[in-house]
Amino acid sequence: DVKVTQSSRYLVKRTGEKVFLECVQDMDHENMFWYRQDPGLGLRLIYFSYDVKMKEKGDIPEGYSVSREKKERFSLILESASTNQTSMYLCASSSRPQIHNEQFFGPGTRLTVL
Amino acid sequence: EDQVTQSPEALRLQEGESSSLNCSYTVSGLRGLFWYRQDPGKGPEFLFTLYSAGEEKEKERLKATLTKKESFLHITAPKPEDSATYLCAVQETGGFKTIFGAGTRLFVKA
């Protein structure tokens, strides 16, 4: 069974704090993704990575950065959290080639920024 | 602009009342269309991939179909445990991104 785990289910942070969201997958997948999910907007891609130390911007990268030092781990960093980053954050992974391959999602981290 | 639109936003059914969810898409070229199920507080779970118009796939009470402009998820004789949000997503040729629709929330009452 593919397993994607995220470090926290719920997180509450203050405006201006630096926030780290961690994601680990155990299926040796090459591709990893970070999305945010907001009501009525669907899932929007923040960043993705197709290999260790490689990263590509998605649709909404502003205010975020990522790190992929090991194949199984993909971290999302909010450099200075703001209230408009309150959202559900979902990590996903897929095997190469990406084409025709479904993504496996983690349980999500609900982040609240006060 | 590439986009994926799902309708209705929400659907309330009685147990056993069959219906369909719609996903219409606009992309220059379709590589694959995906259906996911998402339960409250959880990540999406993969259901189907469809690649070309005319293709159909089935799993228990669910059947997904694909045309050149839209996909349908047919639910036959639904049960309360089918209650969830169903997400449609599209991958276009020549690109790397998967574009998700906003989802249809399905409620099945016993």
Side-chain angles (χ1 to χ4, degrees):
Chain A
D1 242 14
V2 176
K3 198 160 187 182
V4 180
T5 57
Q6 297 183 228
S7 50
S8 305
R9 294 300 307 274
Y10 301 94
L11 212 51
V12 179
K13 295 292 181 181
R14 297 217 172 267
T15 301
E17 280 192 78
K18 192 168 187 175
V19 181
F20 293 87
L21 303 182
E22 304 284 340
C23 175
V24 177
Q25 50 94 4
D26 66 358
M27 284 302 291
D28 203 36
H29 282 171
E30 291 80 7
N31 306 311
M32 295 188 75
F33 309 83
W34 275 106
Y35 294 91
R36 64 177 282 176
Q37 185 175 33
D38 300 289
L41 294 178
L43 275 73
R44 292 180 290 167
L45 182 65
I46 304 171
Y47 269 96
F48 80 101
S49 169
Y50 54 88
D51 205 345
V52 176
K53 296 191 185 294
M54 304 303 289
K55 62 185 179 184
E56 293 285 344
K57 293 180 180 180
D59 295 316
I60 50 166
E62 296 79 19
Y64 303 94
S65 62
V66 291
S67 173
R68 192 162 180 205
E69 296 297 318
K70 293 185 178 181
K71 189 176 185 179
E72 67 272 17
R73 188 179 298 269
F74 193 34
S75 302
L76 180 69
I77 303 152
L78 285 66
E79 297 291 342
S80 177
S82 64
T83 55
N84 62 13
Q85 292 179 309
T86 291
S87 186
M88 170 71 93
Y89 289 87
L90 289 162
C91 175
S93 71
S94 70
S95 61
R96 188 176 292 162
Q98 185 189 2
I99 58 172
H100 296 179
N101 281 1
E102 69 272 19
Q103 295 178 21
F104 296 88
F105 285 84
T109 295
R110 186 164 294 281
L111 172 67
T112 302
V113 182
L114 301 176
Chain B
E1 182 184 328
D2 298 335
Q3 58 182 358
V4 178
T5 304
Q6 292 188 246
S7 62
E9 287 186 17
L11 182 62
R12 297 180 185 276
L13 300 173
Q14 288 292 128
E15 184 172 4
E17 180 187 1
S18 301
S19 188
S20 297
L21 282 54
N22 177 262
C23 171
S24 62
Y25 61 91
T26 306
V27 291
S28 54
L30 180 69
R31 177 174 280 162
L33 184 142
F34 304 87
W35 282 98
Y36 290 85
R37 169 189 170 130
Q38 186 175 22
D39 293 300
K42 296 187 177 181
E45 179 183 341
F46 170 74
L47 292 173
F48 305 109
T49 308
L50 301 167
Y51 300 117
S52 57
E55 189 174 0
E56 298 182 353
K57 288 197 176 170
E58 285 188 70
K59 181 179 180 179
E60 295 180 1
R61 294 176 292 282
L62 300 176
K63 180 169 130 179
T65 61
L66 181 64
T67 72
K68 288 188 177 179
K69 294 293 183 187
E70 57 191 350
S71 177
F72 292 93
L73 185 65
H74 307 277
I75 302 175
T76 303
K79 298 182 178 183
E81 54 262 41
D82 294 321
S83 297
T85 296
Y86 291 86
L87 301 173
C88 172
V90 165
Q91 257 187 14
E92 59 174 342
T93 54
F96 58 82
K97 291 190 299 183
T98 302
I99 306 167
F100 282 83
T104 293
R105 287 176 293 143
L106 175 66
F107 304 91
V108 182
K109 188 175 179 182

